[in-house]
Amino acid sequence: MEQTIAPSEMLLHLGPQHAIQPGPYLLDLKLRGETVVDAELEMGYIHKGIEKILENKTYFQGITITDRICYLAALTNNEVFCNCVEKLVGIEPPQRAQYIRVIMEELSRIQSHLLGIGEFSTDLGFVTMFLYMIREREEVLSLIDMVTGSRITHSYLRFGGVREDLPEDFAERAMSVLNEIKKKLDEHEDLYNTDKIYLQRTVGVGVLTAKIASDLGVSGPPLRAAGVAFDIRKNEPYLVYNDLDFKVCTEKEGDIFARIKVRLDEIRESIYIIEQAFDQIPQGPLFPVGTPYGRRTPVMRVPAGEVFCRVEDPRGEMGMYMISDGSDKPYRVKIRGPVFPTMQALPPLIKGTYVADVAAIAASMDGCTSEADR
Amino acid sequence: MMSIVEFLFNPWVRGILGLALIGIIFFSAVITVWLERKFGADIQSRIGPNRVGGRFGLLQLIADAIKLFTKEDLIPAKADKLLFVMAPIVILGSAFMMIVAIPFGAIVIGDNSYPIAATEFDISVLYLEAVSALSVLGIFMAAYGSNNKYSMLAAFRNIARMIGYEVPLGISIIGIAVMVQSLNIVEIAQAQSPLWFIFVQPIGFAVFFISILADMGRLPFDQNEAEEELVAGWGTEYTGMRWGLGLFAEYIHMILGSCLMVLLYFGGWNLPKFITDIYVIGMFAPIYWFIAKVVVVVMTIIMIRWALPRFRIDQVVDLGWKVLFPLSVLNLLWAVALGLFFGA
Amino acid sequence: MTGVIDSYIPVAIFFIVALITPPVMMFIVHQLSPRSKAERKLTTYECGSVPIGEARIQFNVEYYLYAIAFVLFDVEVLFLYPWAMVYINHGITAIATVEMFLFIVVVLMGYLYLWKKEALKWVK
Amino acid sequence: MVGILEFIVFVLISILTIGFSILVVTARDIVRAALSLVATLVSVAGVYVLLNAQFIGIVQILVYVGGIGVLILFAVMLTTQELKGDSDVE
């Protein structure tokens, strides 16, 4: 952005510490009256050096670190890391472990989307919806807590399996919670679809076209809301997603309304996936039989090689590139997170809109700064 | 007996006694802050303030007051100190000046009813409208004084909203005045004793309600304090009590707006004669009746706040000019027709 | 002690009280609140960044036409107030009503003209 | 007694009016000047009320403060402000 400011223009910083943000980033706006003339995004305020830390920890210790990439998607981040290591080692988790992973990751997706929609609602001044969403998210977190023992950073996945088996009556309890959420979700969606003010604020605002989205590498709900049916679970299935029936939720418009709609639909799809997974889940071991991998794998050496894995994060395509030199620590880890490209779509989107829309658009992208900065 | 009444009607005595109303309204503003939190919490299925103690977290009020009084008072280095200091005075002054003209119920003795108001004059409705518009200037002063970009944006939004809603508000009030042929708020309230004006002029009420919500800056219309983009609006640079004064002014505006609504559309304090004839209880019954109505209106406003998302500023102004203005003119014609039919 | 002006005495009293209250409050606050000196504390808040440029800019009021229209209509509305007081029971009902009807029609024509000319648009 | 009181109030309002109007022309910050103008107009409203012309007084506030005042502020904000520099505006 040009630093020269006309006398009638105002250079406004939104951030690094601002209410619209899930984490610190800087959005410089050049305003003419209420209109955003130009925008610039600056990131990196909470760079934690996770890639570098991963290179200095043993593989096993790395699992805990990957929890910290994004506090809303700890399970999928575990998944991509474990996937890489499993591919390098050449093992595959047994069926039961895979189903458990699917269940847990879909639960994680549900809670992440609920929070995303809720946070977006606050940015429209709709605080009540945020609290409703949080209330339902708490239930889902409790479910995850029942299995993993923690609410945010689970460290639940292990190479070749999962740490704990599901509790005995987990399926019934989970389904009762999820059915309740499904019912409430219908109510909420009804509200979203009929509220005149909400529609005025969201329909046709912040349109992300498929072209811009794919040019910038945006993935996840923002991309699907633009009409591109891209979902790693379908396009490049991992775990047992091949055996499960679900559809990729897409919308055509690409505006804020569509993005929220996609998230709401995806929550329903996730519930459907979990339902099937509970039906199909077989009995069996949690770790591949006859291998040394289990709950505790103190020191393991991974054969030299390189691998790229990707999974579908709640926010889009989460990829990890890993090089192993045969030692007990990865030689190089590169994370391709979904949020960084998503955030890059912000400046072109908010150019020409009003200041009030900036908050709505930024929140509808559901960025997680923690993950973008890593 | 008459001498006491005469004494009480001496304007000096009335004015000084009326100052008690400021205290009462200030206190009810504090209560409203609490009510907003607690009722909001109920709507959102959570508990609300409960940590400080007291039944229903009532001690939270005292804690808040202590906090406001003991916070350091900062004036930013880049501020225009005079405007910065004057702004809360103007904002609060606008609220105080409104209190003068609003009757808060009445005491009925025999056939006479004595409205509880600091004063009573012929054009009090117009006066209220004029004085409440002053707070916009106060907010502009605060914004310009604090030299903060968010505040400036907020102040301009505030002005834009005011120019969008002042005209429909005025026309809907004329709709009332046409029926009563008076701008005296006491007479308007008393004219509704058989039939509330909300039933006579539903369109006018809708216009008035939306306009006064916008005037108060309550949620679908609180663009000037949209914390998601403008942090804290005009009050971004204000700390402690200086900000608190503005906050109280806002809540006082809300209460007074509700009072105005009750007086103009919900029949004021009027009760059937057989109730006011009951000795002592009947004397004060209109006050309770009035307060009950005001509480209902305030609760409704709070509920609306928690139930709706926020408009964007251009949509707000559009609503005012393109929907409410024609509606208010329509209502005026309807009111004139009614006035001619019944008045002539 | 009679006269319309007397009913404004309480207004004057309230006006003085409104002027006095905030300074008194601030005086109490100054007695109670802590004082500490730090330069950075007095800088302008802008989400933790150093502000670039002034806030007091030549603000682009895109909607100034609204403001002009507002002044016009505000004054026109004011003409209606005295009329509303007297149009009945003063022997001028018929002519007053017709005249006011004409007035409102003229005002509405102006309003429609504004709308047609797209003056009632936020950004042109 | 009323006469004296009215006189005192009149003198007070006149002083306010004159004081603010002097500020209008001497203030170097243009927004301050505009706000002083608004304050002058409000004091004039006081004079009207004192003259028993309450309606005009309140119309004065409604039109000049609510309408014209805002318009003037808009106009002022649209100008380039090179006149800054009141003693405590730094």
Side-chain angles (χ1 to χ4, degrees):
Chain A
M1 180 165 66
E2 286 177 52
Q3 288 293 325
T4 50
I5 308 164
S8 64
E9 286 173 346
M10 183 191 266
L11 195 76
L12 185 74
H13 297 299
L14 283 192
Q17 198 52 259
H18 196 278
I20 63 167
Q21 295 159 341
Y25 60 85
L26 175 60
L27 208 49
D28 275 346
L29 305 177
K30 199 192 268 183
L31 302 180
R32 189 178 294 138
E34 284 269 332
T35 319
V36 180
V37 183
D38 208 349
E40 194 181 67
L41 177 78
E42 212 173 285
M43 307 193 60
Y45 282 88
I46 47 165
H47 176 61
K48 301 183 288 292
I50 281 188
E51 290 166 1
K52 213 68 201 162
I53 295 173
L54 283 174
E55 288 163 25
N56 290 294
K57 300 269 180 202
T58 61
Y59 285 98
F60 192 72
Q61 287 169 330
I63 296 176
T64 334
I65 305 300
T66 52
D67 278 344
R68 272 82 184 161
I69 296 175
C70 174
Y71 58 96
L72 287 171
L75 281 161
T76 29
N77 295 338
N78 285 168
E79 170 71 39
V80 71
F81 183 72
C82 293
N83 248 356
C84 283
V85 177
E86 281 157 11
K87 269 195 192 165
L88 281 172
V89 178
I91 50 169
E92 200 183 328
Q95 280 285 307
R96 183 168 178 83
Q98 292 201 19
Y99 272 105
I100 293 177
R101 280 184 180 188
V102 166
I103 291 168
M104 298 313 287
E105 279 158 31
E106 292 306 320
L107 280 177
S108 167
R109 192 185 315 280
I110 292 172
Q111 61 91 12
S112 169
H113 279 351
L114 282 174
L115 188 72
I117 299 167
E119 268 182 9
F120 161 77
S121 306
T122 357
D123 286 358
L124 286 185
F126 204 177
V127 184
T128 306
M129 192 49 98
F130 171 68
L131 285 149
Y132 285 170
M133 290 294 178
I134 281 287
R135 186 183 63 191
E136 277 123 47
R137 176 173 177 259
E138 282 304 298
E139 301 285 325
V140 181
L141 280 186
S142 301
L143 285 181
I144 299 178
D145 189 17
M146 275 169 68
V147 182
T148 65
S150 66
R151 301 167 72 78
I152 302 288
T153 48
H154 319 288
S155 303
Y156 179 60
L157 268 55
R158 290 291 182 267
F159 307 123
V162 291
R163 199 179 68 213
E164 317 278 350
D165 205 344
L166 298 177
E168 256 169 31
D169 55 344
F170 185 70
E172 294 87 73
R173 290 177 73 166
M175 280 329 292
S176 77
V177 167
L178 293 177
N179 283 331
E180 193 60 30
I181 287 179
K182 212 151 79 180
K183 230 181 285 165
K184 294 229 177 84
L185 217 58
D186 289 340
E187 259 172 53
H188 298 331
E189 185 162 14
D190 191 36
L191 214 150
Y192 277 133
N193 284 338
T194 52
D195 191 308
K196 284 265 157 38
I197 305 178
Y198 177 78
L199 292 177
Q200 277 191 24
R201 287 297 304 273
T202 55
V203 173
V205 177
V207 178
L208 179 71
T209 56
K211 171 139 185 16
I212 298 179
S214 40
D215 280 358
L216 288 168
V218 175
S219 52
L223 179 68
R224 289 195 280 273
V228 182
F230 176 77
D231 190 325
I232 308 282
R233 291 176 294 176
K234 259 300 192 251
N235 295 35
E236 202 175 281
Y238 55 101
L239 296 178
V240 285
Y241 279 112
N242 250 342
D243 307 337
L244 296 164
D245 167 46
F246 66 98
K247 67 173 199 297
V248 180
C249 311
T250 54
E251 292 288 322
K252 284 189 288 296
E253 291 81 9
D255 53 6
I256 299 178
F257 185 81
R259 287 196 275 277
I260 299 303
K261 180 101 178 31
V262 164
R263 288 208 180 86
L264 285 166
D265 288 346
E266 277 185 15
I267 294 176
R268 291 212 188 83
E269 268 327 288
S270 290
I271 293 175
Y272 180 49
I273 293 175
I274 294 172
E275 216 177 314
Q276 294 174 61
F278 276 132
D279 287 345
Q280 298 175 13
I281 187 166
Q283 289 298 330
L286 291 180
F287 289 95
V289 187
T291 57
Y293 300 101
R295 287 189 63 184
R296 294 195 180 78
T297 320
V299 181
M300 54 185 274
R301 291 183 189 279
V302 170
E306 54 186 281
V307 67
F308 178 72
C309 283
R310 46 186 189 167
V311 300
E312 184 71 21
D313 200 62
R315 282 167 186 74
E317 173 190 340
M318 178 82 186
M320 191 182 269
Y321 177 63
M322 189 186 278
I323 304 178
S324 165
D325 57 357
S327 69
D328 58 346
K329 292 168 187 163
Y331 175 74
R332 175 79 177 96
V333 176
K334 167 83 184 107
I335 300 168
R336 187 269 179 218
V339 181
F340 189 75
T342 310
M343 300 291 269
Q344 300 314 312
L346 268 185
L349 272 198
I350 61 184
K351 228 174 268 184
T353 57
Y354 295 108
V355 186
D357 287 334
V358 172
I361 293 171
S364 73
M365 304 299 267
D366 194 16
C368 171
T369 323
S370 166
E371 192 218 272
D373 288 349
R374 292 189 278 280
Chain B
M1 185 70 186
M2 275 317 283
S3 65
I4 291 174
V5 170
E6 230 164 55
F7 174 72
L8 287 177
F9 268 69
N10 180 310
W12 292 96
V13 177
R14 240 181 137 172
I16 288 161
L17 285 182
L19 292 178
L21 286 176
I22 292 186
I24 293 169
I25 294 297
F26 215 86
F27 185 66
S28 24
V30 175
I31 297 280
T32 314
V33 174
W34 171 82
L35 188 71
E36 168 137 48
R37 288 188 185 173
K38 209 66 186 174
F39 188 48
D42 278 350
I43 291 173
Q44 297 163 347
S45 63
R46 61 192 170 89
I47 300 169
N50 61 340
R51 288 300 168 93
V52 187
R55 199 160 175 77
F56 308 121
L58 267 172
L59 285 183
Q60 182 77 40
L61 297 177
I62 295 162
D64 282 350
I66 293 172
K67 187 192 83 173
L68 283 180
F69 270 110
T70 53
K71 279 235 168 170
E72 188 177 351
D73 171 39
L74 294 177
I75 298 179
K78 278 194 158 183
D80 182 336
K81 291 188 185 55
L82 183 70
L83 293 186
F84 190 84
V85 171
M86 286 302 288
I89 300 181
V90 175
I91 297 171
L92 196 69
S94 144
F96 277 11
M97 298 291 277
M98 276 177 86
I99 298 176
V100 188
I102 291 187
F104 299 91
I107 295 176
V108 179
I109 304 168
D111 285 339
N112 299 321
S113 80
Y114 301 100
I116 305 173
T119 187
E120 207 184 304
F121 46 90
D122 288 344
I123 44 173
S124 39
V125 180
L126 203 57
Y127 166 84
L128 287 170
E129 207 190 327
V131 171
S132 78
L134 282 178
S135 69
V136 175
L137 274 181
I139 286 171
F140 182 83
M141 282 165 74
Y144 190 79
S146 55
N147 195 3
N148 183 299
K149 289 169 191 166
Y150 303 114
S151 306
M152 283 305 262
L153 282 171
F156 276 102
R157 284 183 180 190
N158 211 40
I159 292 177
R161 202 180 55 202
M162 193 272 279
I163 60 182
Y165 285 82
E166 205 70 3
V167 176
L169 186 72
I171 298 180
S172 62
I173 287 176
I174 292 176
I176 300 269
V178 161
M179 305 266 300
V180 190
Q181 285 126 54
S182 167
L183 284 173
N184 187 337
I185 197 155
V186 176
E187 283 174 25
I188 290 176
Q190 277 164 352
Q192 302 176 53
S193 73
L195 189 60
W196 296 0
F197 281 155
I198 181 176
F199 302 118
V200 184
Q201 302 183 7
I203 300 175
F205 173 72
V207 172
F208 180 84
F209 185 72
I210 296 171
S211 306
I212 204 128
L213 266 189
D215 221 38
M216 290 188 267
R218 298 292 304 178
L219 197 93
F221 304 102
D222 74 336
Q223 291 74 18
N224 59 332
E225 275 168 33
E227 68 267 25
E228 284 77 29
E229 58 250 31
L230 298 184
V231 188
W234 64 268
T236 307
E237 293 289 352
Y238 281 81
T239 56
M241 202 60 198
R242 250 184 241 289
W243 172 81
L245 292 174
L247 175 87
F248 284 128
E250 247 166 52
Y251 278 91
I252 290 175
H253 265 292
M254 174 178 162
I255 292 171
L256 297 183
S258 313
C259 291
L260 204 58
M261 208 181 299
V262 170
L263 289 166
L264 293 184
Y265 286 96
F266 292 112
W269 56 80
N270 294 303
L271 277 174
K273 195 158 168 15
F274 68 87
I275 296 176
T276 52
D277 273 347
I278 307 167
Y279 187 62
V280 183
I281 299 173
M283 223 165 100
F284 297 107
I287 303 177
Y288 304 136
W289 183 224
F290 180 77
I291 291 174
K293 283 182 193 170
V294 171
V295 168
V296 169
V297 173
V298 167
M299 298 278 262
T300 313
I301 291 171
I302 292 175
M303 211 157 79
I304 288 174
R305 169 178 179 170
W306 295 120
L308 287 178
R310 178 184 299 123
F311 276 114
R312 206 169 56 203
I313 185 67
D314 59 318
Q315 294 164 349
V316 166
V317 179
D318 264 10
L319 179 72
W321 278 102
K322 295 187 179 161
V323 181
L324 294 187
F325 179 73
L327 276 182
S328 64
V329 173
L330 195 71
N331 174 65
L332 178 63
L333 296 178
W334 164 244
V336 170
L338 281 180
L340 285 176
F341 187 73
F342 289 110
Chain C
M1 289 292 286
T2 49
V4 192
I5 192 74
D6 282 352
S7 55
Y8 285 83
I9 289 172
V11 178
I13 295 174
F14 270 58
F15 180 69
I16 291 162
V17 169
L19 282 186
I20 292 172
T21 314
V24 170
M25 287 268 214
M26 288 322 290
F27 178 76
I28 300 172
V29 168
H30 276 251
Q31 301 306 310
L32 293 174
S33 66
R35 315 258 91 205
S36 59
K37 280 198 173 143
E39 287 269 311
R40 297 295 291 274
K41 211 159 59 174
L42 300 178
T43 50
T44 306
Y45 174 78
E46 207 173 313
C47 291
S49 316
V50 180
I52 301 175
E54 282 283 306
R56 295 164 184 153
I57 54 156
Q58 183 190 334
F59 199 89
N60 191 336
V61 189
E62 301 134 322
Y63 44 91
Y64 66 96
L65 276 178
Y66 277 118
I68 295 170
F70 164 68
V71 174
L72 293 178
F73 285 105
D74 206 25
V75 175
E76 275 154 9
V77 166
L78 282 171
F79 288 134
L80 290 173
Y81 280 101
W83 166 79
M85 298 303 96
V86 295
Y87 82 111
I88 289 177
N89 297 337
H90 287 77
I92 50 165
T93 311
I95 186 141
T97 312
V98 170
E99 278 179 347
M100 196 40 68
F101 187 69
L102 285 176
F103 180 75
I104 291 174
V105 167
V106 172
V107 169
L108 280 182
M109 298 278 268
Y111 172 72
L112 288 178
Y113 178 76
L114 273 178
W115 199 332
K116 191 89 205 306
K117 283 279 173 188
E118 301 200 324
L120 302 181
K121 235 181 170 184
W122 187 262
V123 181
K124 271 144 283 259
Chain D
M1 183 209 160
V2 175
I4 295 168
L5 189 76
E6 268 190 27
F7 182 71
I8 294 171
V9 174
F10 174 71
V11 168
L12 282 178
I13 291 176
S14 320
I15 292 172
L16 274 182
T17 314
I18 295 168
F20 278 125
S21 49
I22 290 172
L23 267 180
V24 176
V25 287
T26 54
R28 275 190 288 173
D29 186 34
I30 192 161
V31 172
R32 272 194 183 190
L35 287 170
S36 312
L37 180 61
V38 171
T40 313
L41 296 169
V42 173
S43 337
V44 171
V47 176
Y48 282 135
V49 172
L50 213 58
L51 288 172
N52 245 339
Q54 288 92 0
F55 184 73
I56 301 291
I58 283 162
V59 165
Q60 170 90 2
I61 294 182
L62 207 59
V63 171
Y64 280 90
V65 178
I68 310 275
V70 165
L71 203 61
I72 289 173
L73 281 178
F74 272 15
V76 161
M77 292 311 288
L78 282 166
T79 57
T80 41
Q81 295 163 45
E82 289 162 355
L83 297 160
K84 256 176 227 149
D86 276 333
S87 55
D88 53 0
V89 185
E90 286 304 328

